[in-house]
Amino acid sequence: MPLGGLLSGPGPDGMSSCLLGSSDGSGRPSNGQLMHIACLWSRWTKPGEPDLLSFAAITDEPPREIEAAGHDRCIIPIKPENIEAWLKPEASSLDAMYAILDDKDRPYYEHRLAA
């Protein structure tokens, strides 16, 4: 899932939100690039009911700057060169998928309290 930045809350004070990203207020990481987030998705089907599509972003231990903002986990950005393999995995390549998650992109996330 492409993502331009992060707004998360509550902040370290338990009340305010934290804008995670560049100092220009865009919410993007310091490299200015879109992040491509590792997600899992599912489709639930029941006859006579509309399909339910759902997804979840995969998280990991946070980098220090995210931890300093009061968070105990962080989404996993996928490196651009791994996007195709993530979106079109081979059925027997679970180890390859873990390798993509381990080889995560690591932009620096500046943070400030949002109004």
Side-chain angles (χ1 to χ4, degrees), residues 22-64:
S22 62
S23 58
D24 67 3
S26 68
R28 288 191 180 199
S30 59
N31 64 10
Q33 303 289 320
L34 285 176
M35 294 179 286
H36 295 86
I37 307 305
C39 294
L40 299 174
W41 68 276
S42 179
R43 177 188 306 244
W44 179 80
T45 304
K46 180 179 179 182
E49 299 287 331
D51 286 356
L52 175 65
L53 300 174
S54 62
F55 81 97
I58 301 173
T59 61
D60 195 6
E61 297 292 322
R64 290 179 193 229

Side-chain angles (χ1 to χ4, degrees), residues 1-3 6 35-42 54-60 74-79 82-83 85-89 97 100-101:
M1 172 177 78
L3 188 65
L6 302 171
M35 294 179 286
H36 295 86
I37 307 305
C39 294
L40 299 174
W41 68 276
S42 179
S54 62
F55 81 97
I58 301 173
T59 61
D60 195 6
C74 185
I75 45 98
I76 298 177
I78 296 175
K79 288 183 176 176
N82 292 331
I83 293 171
W86 181 262
L87 293 175
K88 297 180 180 178
M97 302 310 289
I100 290 172
L101 295 175

